[in-house]
Amino acid sequence: DAGITQSPRYKITETGRQVTLMCHQTWSHSYMFWYRQDLGHGLRLIYYSAAADITDKGEVPDGYVVSRSKTENFPLTLESATRSQTSVYFCASNVAGGPKHEQYFGPGTRLTVT
Amino acid sequence: GDSVTQMEGPVTLSEEAFLTINCTYTATGYPSLFWYVQYPGEGLQLLLKATKADDKGSNKGFEATYRKETTSFHLEKGSVQVSDSAVYFCALLLGSARQLTFGSGTQLTVLP
């Protein structure tokens, strides 16, 4: 399907486990972003990527790892999940040369860490 | 640092009521301002934008005016519909960065 997809949509995991959230976009957008959404905090940027093999930290990167070996994929890994990482995670993309604010969001992944 | 403050929700209105959601910002420079909307079960979508002082962004009956003197970007709609029920986020973008700064969001519920 065209657009930006995330998987899984829902995930329950235990404290200390590694979990990877997937993000895939079909537009070949250069920029991709990972946000977490928490009540009272809105969306906060975790990591972003300007192109394949280029990533940078956002506001709340601790406890997360990203990679971008292909332009269309931007997985987010929690190496050792903690309860504080229970959240809704959104992936977004943005085309280089286009309006910087025009980010296209995926449907989100709801992660619960028990 | 840069920040966005939105009125706390939730906001519950009857259909055809007037809507205002307040948004103020703090920024070291001269930001562009945005309203995003999140419908149930979906990701965020851009609703409207304004890039300079006194600009008015509008879309789907919603409006917001960039007020530099009061550092505000309040969202308004004259007559809300049940289909407007969603979470609304105010956001800013500063300079050459692509990092949006979001407010905490305001949940709107419109009752028939």
Side-chain angles (χ1 to χ4, degrees):
Chain A
D1 288 353
I4 185 165
T5 57
Q6 294 183 235
S7 61
R9 293 294 311 276
Y10 302 91
K11 177 75 176 177
I12 299 174
T13 192
E14 295 178 343
T15 300
R17 290 195 181 264
Q18 182 180 83
V19 60
T20 295
L21 310 184
M22 304 301 295
C23 178
H24 175 78
Q25 50 106 355
T26 60
W27 296 305
S28 298
H29 286 175
S30 295
Y31 286 86
M32 296 187 75
F33 308 82
W34 274 107
Y35 294 90
R36 59 177 290 172
Q37 181 181 24
D38 303 292
L39 201 61
H41 290 280
L43 275 75
R44 292 179 291 176
L45 183 66
I46 304 171
Y47 270 95
Y48 66 101
S49 169
D53 298 321
I54 301 175
T55 62
D56 210 345
K57 296 178 180 179
E59 182 185 353
V60 288
D62 293 343
Y64 302 96
V65 175
V66 293
S67 62
R68 186 121 180 253
S69 58
K70 293 183 177 181
T71 300
E72 61 267 29
N73 296 324
F74 191 38
L76 175 74
T77 297
L78 289 66
E79 293 192 304
S80 178
T82 66
R83 289 197 181 90
S84 65
Q85 292 177 310
T86 292
S87 187
V88 180
Y89 291 85
F90 286 98
C91 179
S93 70
N94 176 240
V95 61
K100 296 190 290 291
H101 64 275
E102 206 161 302
Q103 294 185 16
Y104 296 87
F105 284 79
T109 295
R110 183 175 294 275
L111 176 67
T112 301
V113 182
T114 62
Chain B
D2 305 327
S3 66
V4 176
T5 302
Q6 286 182 236
M7 66 183 285
E8 291 190 13
V11 174
T12 303
L13 296 173
S14 298
E15 206 164 23
E16 299 184 3
F18 185 86
L19 168 71
T20 299
I21 300 178
N22 290 338
C23 170
T24 57
Y25 68 89
T26 302
T28 53
Y30 196 9
S32 297
L33 301 173
F34 312 93
W35 278 100
Y36 278 78
V37 58
Q38 182 183 26
Y39 297 105
E42 299 182 9
L44 278 70
Q45 304 172 25
L46 179 66
L47 180 61
L48 53 84
K49 65 179 181 181
T51 57
K52 59 183 187 297
D54 300 325
D55 264 3
K56 178 184 283 188
S58 62
N59 186 24
K60 298 182 180 181
F62 291 89
E63 293 183 339
T65 301
Y66 190 150
R67 301 288 187 200
K68 187 182 177 187
E69 63 276 12
T70 55
T71 62
S72 65
F73 193 54
H74 305 322
L75 183 68
E76 296 182 336
K77 187 175 186 182
S79 176
V80 294
Q81 305 301 311
V82 172
S83 57
D84 294 326
S85 297
V87 182
Y88 292 82
F89 292 91
C90 187
L92 67 81
L93 186 68
L94 198 57
S96 60
R98 289 180 184 259
Q99 299 182 44
L100 286 161
T101 299
F102 287 92
S104 58
T106 302
Q107 171 79 54
L108 169 67
T109 301
V110 180
L111 303 176

